[in-house]
Amino acid sequence: MKFRPPQLNELTLFFLTFIYLVPVLLSENILLNFLLLILAFINIIFFRKIRFKHLGLLVLFLIIPLISLFVTVLIYAKGAENSPILAEIFGFEIKQIAFNNALFLVSRTFCLSMISFLFLLSIRYDALVFALMQNLKLPVSIGYSLLATFNAFAHLKEEFSRIRLAYKMRFLKKVFPLKLLMPMLVSASRFAYSAGLSMESRGLNKQKTFLELVRWRKSDIIIIIANFIEIVILVGIFIFSGKFSVRLV
Amino acid sequence: MNQKQIYFLENFSFRYPYSEKAIQWSGNISINENEILLISGKSGAGKSTFLYALKGLLPDTIFGKLKGKILFKGKDVSQLSSFEKAKIGFLFQNPAAQMINRTVIQEIAFGMENLQMKQQEIRKKIEDFAETFKIKHLLKRDVTTLSGGEKQKVALISILAMNPEVLLFDEPTAFLDPISASEFFAVFRNIVKNKTVVIVEHNLDYLKDSVSGFIKIGANGKIEKKDLKEIPWTQKFPRLPNISKGEKLIEIKNLSFSYDNNHILKGLNFELRKKEIIGIIGANGAGKTTLLKLIAGVLKSKNGKISYKHENIEHISFKKYYRNLALLFQNPENHFLFSEVEREIAGNRKILDLVGLNKMQKRNPFTLSEGEKRRLSLAILWNLKREIFLFDEPTFGQDYENKNKLIELIGKMREKGNSFIIVSHDYPFLNSVCDKIFLLKNGYLRETQIQN
């Protein structure tokens, strides 16, 4: 029989994101950060289909900022004057402390970004908005505006490509992106106006019912608690082995 | 038999902030139960605003100065509760912009949820409507993936599901191809029984047998109830004279194109000569805009060849190609980049004279009327002094008078040596300007007969 993971409230994934992000933000240990990333990855694989193509693209975008961060810390790290020299490249001395700091910062940024991406790509945005409206009392006017905004992206993407082509066709040489702002703003405001009228004319109100009810199930609570305990145990192991220290700034 | 009065308007007028013109009605007007009322008027005359007034959106949702009375069943329309307002269904022009939810089923349920219906009742109604309108296969689809016709159908169902007593339609077929439009009106004839309907529509032919009343909104904004005999049911356009054509400019040979294994264009062949106007008609999603994008070089095809003056366009640089070609989009606002009309055409006042916008030089292009916007977008392209123009739905949102002006302008441009490929749903318009019209269906192009 094929295994079927339990149906999750999207808010569970939303909360899990923070449960994983907080210890990474506090930890100074590279190994712990990567272990937390692996745990988050296992969770997602268990509950959702991972869109590796999108994830790969996001990682690709991360590479340049990470390299820049590494090099910047390597050059400008404070207190590295008395540190032993690790290597010398083209006359530039790489100090041990600077190298450690650079590696730590890069790994932490990578883990934070990857955990965020993993959950972000797995959460169904419309289901999350419905969960926020039904379980956390998000005002329906805000919730449905968010849903309409997600629909607007497809519309604005097309508008942008047309406006850009219209601009290119005229061979105008002035500041490129700024000129496109006005027509894009007009287009976005017209879309927002129509969506607002559509909501109002169909009687959006606070007392509404919902076709699909979003509930907190036992499985949601168990998953959150299990993950929390998992992280506490992992951090505990590092604390007792003396490898965990907190860096708040 | 005395019909029950649904609406009563008394000395009503509405003025938008910063607008010089008001929509006004001096005297009383009543709209009765089961009446089907057609609203007519020029672009920008205030037809949509009149519908907003009937829906009770003025002046709280849409700001402005409202005078007089609009009563719905004896109650001030702006004071109605959201439940009472739900008795008035409103279908907007642009189906894409009225979609709030991600999936079709959520979208249809939205209005019923607002009426606090129970889940089971909502599900039952959705099932019934899906059966009647044959959209069962669409229920789980993402609304952004629907065609224009499908979107408008979903929008209509979402309103009908709320069981309104009054239906207000604002150009419901503006975004639809002729087939989808006739399908829409086939449904329309069934659903308007026992309902009061107020409709703004340019495709009057479809409404011939249904309409029972007529309101005209004049250029000065004055609303008048007119006799049915005054409705211009058939709108004819003058045909541009035939002129001799020049050299071959664009040649398309065996052109095919597919998106994700979906074959949209299959081995198309045609050519465009100097001073020639070619029209392409077809259903929503048939691939008309895709064909235009291929000719414009925005999309590239692996099969077939498009050449400009015997040279494959793939071997011509963007700059060189676009010195000879320009693309006009369905939405004229896509062409506007500056805050003044005269800056858009780089101060060339001669062009403004030709398109009849000589008094609008200092105006912001985004504040022009629909007809003026279309003419300005045309002037922008004309000012670029290109040889070939590709038009995507140039008559969209244009009334009869504006279409006539457009035909006149295209005639003038052709006299100066320009050639055109026009993609449109508007067959009467294409019939009046084109030398050849092709029907794009199932991926194939077939030349149709021009009617004189």
Side-chain angles (χ1 to χ4, degrees), chain B residues 11-259:
Chain B
N11 294 325
F12 149 77
S13 83
F14 181 76
R15 189 192 298 271
Y16 281 103
Y18 310 110
S19 171
E20 292 163 7
K21 199 174 70 177
I23 306 163
Q24 55 189 343
W25 168 262
S26 44
N28 303 335
I29 181 174
S30 55
I31 300 171
N32 297 326
E33 197 176 28
N34 301 341
E35 197 171 3
I36 300 175
L37 204 62
L38 172 71
I39 312 282
S40 163
K42 288 181 180 178
S43 301
K47 302 185 290 290
S48 300
T49 311
F50 182 69
L51 293 184
Y52 296 153
L54 297 182
K55 175 70 187 167
L57 296 172
L58 311 180
D60 294 334
T61 309
I62 296 166
F63 304 118
K65 208 171 182 182
L66 181 71
K67 280 184 189 167
K69 268 186 198 168
I70 305 167
L71 303 178
F72 175 71
K73 291 182 162 182
K75 214 172 165 184
D76 189 335
V77 77
S78 61
Q79 304 300 319
L80 298 177
S81 68
S82 59
F83 281 99
E84 288 168 315
K85 274 188 186 172
K87 295 279 162 211
I88 311 166
F90 197 128
L91 188 67
F92 294 88
Q93 205 180 77
N94 184 348
Q98 55 193 310
M99 299 282 157
I100 312 294
N101 294 274
R102 190 180 68 85
T103 61
V104 171
I105 191 164
Q106 287 168 353
E107 189 61 29
I108 297 174
F110 180 70
M112 292 186 276
E113 291 170 343
N114 294 333
L115 291 175
Q116 296 177 27
M117 285 187 190
K118 288 182 178 157
Q119 282 85 21
Q120 282 174 332
E121 200 182 341
I122 297 175
R123 279 192 199 286
K124 173 86 182 58
K125 272 205 156 195
I126 291 175
E127 266 176 38
D128 292 345
F129 275 106
E131 192 80 46
T132 315
F133 289 90
K134 298 183 183 80
I135 56 146
K136 258 188 168 173
H137 62 291
L138 298 180
L139 286 178
K140 286 185 179 167
R141 282 263 298 273
D142 193 316
V143 292
T144 55
T145 64
L146 302 178
S147 72
E150 288 168 340
K151 276 180 191 160
Q152 198 61 304
K153 219 180 209 176
V154 169
L156 176 67
I157 295 168
S158 73
I159 288 156
L160 290 176
M162 295 170 78
N163 195 22
E165 290 172 25
V166 178
L167 286 168
L168 307 174
F169 291 117
D170 189 4
E171 294 191 45
T173 62
F175 279 78
L176 307 186
D177 62 76
I179 298 159
S180 301
S182 66
E183 274 176 14
F184 176 85
F185 279 106
V187 174
F188 174 87
R189 282 179 208 106
N190 287 325
I191 57 163
V192 295
K193 286 169 193 160
N194 305 321
K195 294 217 189 289
T196 306
V197 178
V198 184
I199 181 166
V200 173
E201 179 60 52
H202 288 307
N203 289 324
L204 299 178
D205 269 350
Y206 295 115
L207 289 165
K208 240 177 193 172
D209 308 323
S210 318
V211 172
S212 59
F214 176 42
I215 282 180
K216 191 170 183 182
I217 304 181
N220 55 358
K222 196 166 182 185
I223 303 169
E224 289 173 287
K225 212 162 184 177
K226 297 261 185 186
D227 195 86
L228 280 181
K229 285 174 195 162
E230 291 184 51
I231 301 175
W233 293 114
T234 320
Q235 296 175 332
K236 284 182 181 167
F237 299 108
R239 224 190 111 60
L240 289 181
N242 272 332
I243 57 170
S244 61
K245 313 292 178 291
E247 59 176 320
K248 199 188 287 176
L249 296 176
I250 296 272
E251 188 177 21
I252 292 177
K253 270 187 183 170
N254 208 18
L255 182 74
S256 300
F257 189 78
S258 49
Y259 276 123

Side-chain angles (χ1 to χ4, degrees), chain B residues 375-392:
Chain B
R375 274 180 278 145
L376 177 60
S377 62
L378 209 61
I380 291 168
L381 296 198
W382 201 357
N383 193 40
L384 298 175
K385 297 181 178 67
R386 307 290 190 252
E387 199 172 16
I388 302 163
F389 291 98
L390 310 177
F391 286 2
D392 190 5

Side-chain angles (χ1 to χ4, degrees), chain A residues 39-40 45 53 75 95 104 131 144 147 159 182 206 212 217 220 238 241 245:
Chain A
L39 269 181
I45 277 194
K53 198 179 156 189
I75 298 170
K95 302 277 176 67
F104 163 71
Y144 280 98
L147 289 173
E159 284 283 286
M182 191 162 75
K206 281 182 216 165
E212 281 162 46
R217 296 181 188 86
D220 289 297
F238 275 78
S241 61
S245 57

Side-chain angles (χ1 to χ4, degrees), chain A residues 162-178:
Chain A
R162 280 193 288 265
I163 293 166
R164 206 173 62 151
L165 184 64
Y167 181 91
K168 277 171 84 179
M169 252 173 5
R170 287 162 78 173
F171 300 117
L172 295 168
K173 283 174 187 165
K174 288 180 186 166
V175 194
F176 174 56
L178 282 178

Side-chain angles (χ1 to χ4, degrees), chain B residues 390-429:
Chain B
L390 310 177
F391 286 2
D392 190 5
E393 300 288 355
T395 58
F396 171 74
Q398 304 296 307
D399 59 20
Y400 178 66
E401 200 182 311
N402 283 328
K403 283 181 193 175
N404 269 316
K405 281 182 186 164
L406 198 62
I407 293 168
E408 197 186 320
L409 272 173
I410 291 173
K412 277 183 197 171
M413 289 167 83
R414 182 172 68 165
E415 273 170 32
K416 306 245 178 209
N418 295 125
S419 311
F420 300 83
I421 296 176
I422 306 174
V423 157
S424 178
H425 289 148
D426 195 337
Y427 188 75
F429 170 79

